Amino acid sequence: MVTSDEEWTIERHLADAPPFAVDLYQQFIQMVESIGPFTYAVSKTTITLKGERRGFAGARPYRDGVRGYLDLQREVQDPRIVSVAPYTKRLYVHQFRVYSPTDLDQEFATWLREAYDVGGGAHLRG
């Protein structure tokens, strides 16, 4: 049994998730790894991915798939995006849900690359 004062880890987030959701989460992480290096910041609510300057995305498996967020410099409208909210004058937080590997397509990869650039400070230039 996990007590509330234990440290949150990636493994703890994955422990009770269905195997298909863990696989989907791992596919998400592999997509980000193909873009470049990042670090993790793990909390109770999510597993955040951080670039050189800031966090740019987060995700965790759920019983129905993977839920997470991407920080982008533009608003994206897509069925996988469940909400968009301004974060700063130049950034929008996009909450997403993916349910199958087909949801992690080339368009999603483009959003990840854009978010990764935000992690490197792209929103501070121009």
Side-chain angles (χ1 to χ4, degrees):
M1 182 170 180
V2 175
T3 61
S4 62
D5 61 344
E6 287 185 50
E7 180 182 354
W8 279 91
T9 63
I10 295 170
E11 293 76 20
R12 186 172 172 192
H13 277 289
L14 303 180
D16 294 327
F20 89 93
V22 172
D23 289 345
L24 195 57
Y25 168 80
Q26 294 295 351
Q27 291 172 4
F28 170 82
I29 294 300
Q30 289 171 357
M31 290 179 81
V32 181
E33 288 173 342
S34 73
I35 299 168
F38 61 92
T39 59
Y40 293 98
V42 183
S43 69
K44 182 178 181 178
T45 58
T46 197
I47 302 165
T48 296
L49 312 180
K50 297 177 76 174
E52 292 179 14
R53 299 291 304 253
R54 66 183 311 279
F56 60 89
R60 72 183 264 201
Y62 279 82
R63 62 178 170 73
D64 59 351
V66 172
R67 298 178 190 181
Y69 73 91
L70 302 169
D71 289 345
L72 302 173
Q73 295 183 78
R74 63 186 176 103
E75 290 186 61
V76 170
Q77 301 297 317
D78 184 274
R80 294 167 286 192
I81 305 296
V82 296
S83 70
V84 179
Y87 184 69
T88 68
K89 290 181 180 180
R90 296 183 179 177
L91 290 179
Y92 298 88
V93 179
H94 295 69
Q95 300 292 327
F96 70 83
R97 290 187 184 156
V98 292
Y99 303 101
S100 75
T102 58
D103 289 334
L104 298 176
D105 60 9
Q106 188 58 44
E107 184 175 29
F108 195 91
T110 297
W111 303 335
L112 276 176
R113 279 190 293 279
E114 290 178 26
Y116 186 87
D117 290 343
V118 166
H123 63 295
L124 302 173
R125 300 184 282 273

